[in-house]
Amino acid sequence: MLKEFKDFAMKGNLVDIAVGFVMGAAFKSVVTSFTGGVVSPLIGLIFNSDFKDLKYIIKDGVADEAGKVVGEVAVLYGDFITNVIDFIIVAFVMFMIIKGINKTKKKEEPAPEVPKGPSQEDLLTEIRDLLSKK
C-alpha cells in the first residue's frame, strides 16, 4: 500500500498541482499587498479614509477604559470590496496564464483515417462477377 501511495504521489500531474498551489498562494499574497498598499489608498482618496476600514455601522459601540470600541455591530464592506478586487486580479492573471499555456501547446493533429475496405455488398458483388465469368 505504501508503494502504491508513493507511485500515486509522484505522478507528474499531482506534483504539478502541488507546485501550482504553492505558487498560487504566493501570488495571492503579492496581489493582497498590491491591493492593500496601492489600490486601496488610491480608492480611499475618493472617500477620504482608508478604503479597507470603510464600514456601515448598524449599532454604535462603547469605548472601554483602554479606548477600544466594544459592542459595535458593523458591515465591513470596504474589506469585502478589497477581497473582491483581490479575487478579480488573481482570476484574471490565472486566466491569462492558462490562455498562454494553451497557445504554446502543440495542437494535436487528427489521426489519419485508415482507409476502409470494401463493404460486404461490394465483396459479394465481386465474388458473383468472378463466378459468372467462369
Side-chain angles (χ1 to χ4, degrees):
M1 188 168 143
L2 187 60
K3 182 183 181 311
E4 195 175 337
F5 177 74
K6 181 182 174 188
D7 291 341
F8 169 75
M10 298 314 278
K11 282 186 180 176
N13 290 344
L14 188 61
V15 174
D16 291 345
I17 290 171
V19 169
F21 182 77
V22 171
M23 289 180 67
F27 182 68
K28 170 71 172 133
S29 65
V30 170
V31 170
T32 300
S33 67
F34 171 74
T35 306
V38 178
V39 176
S40 289
L42 293 175
I43 294 174
L45 287 173
I46 297 169
F47 298 103
N48 291 328
S49 68
D50 186 9
F51 186 65
K52 254 187 137 170
D53 293 336
L54 292 177
K55 59 187 173 183
Y56 176 74
I57 299 173
I58 298 171
K59 178 184 170 193
D60 288 328
V62 179
D64 63 3
E65 297 169 359
K68 185 177 176 185
V69 177
V70 180
E72 179 179 81
V73 178
V75 176
L76 305 173
Y77 66 89
D79 192 40
F80 174 74
I81 293 172
T82 301
N83 288 328
V84 169
I85 292 170
D86 286 350
F87 172 77
I88 290 170
I89 292 171
V90 170
F92 179 73
V93 170
M94 296 310 292
F95 170 74
M96 295 305 288
I97 288 172
I98 298 298
K99 188 173 179 178
I101 289 171
N102 287 341
K103 276 188 178 181
T104 61
K105 282 185 181 179
K106 267 188 170 178
K107 292 185 179 180
E108 293 183 21
E109 295 180 17
E113 287 193 31
V114 178
K116 294 184 178 181
S119 69
Q120 194 173 22
E121 289 80 19
D122 293 337
L123 290 174
L124 288 172
T125 305
E126 189 176 326
I127 291 171
R128 182 194 68 200
D129 293 345
L130 287 173
L131 287 173
S132 67
K133 287 182 182 179
K134 286 187 181 186

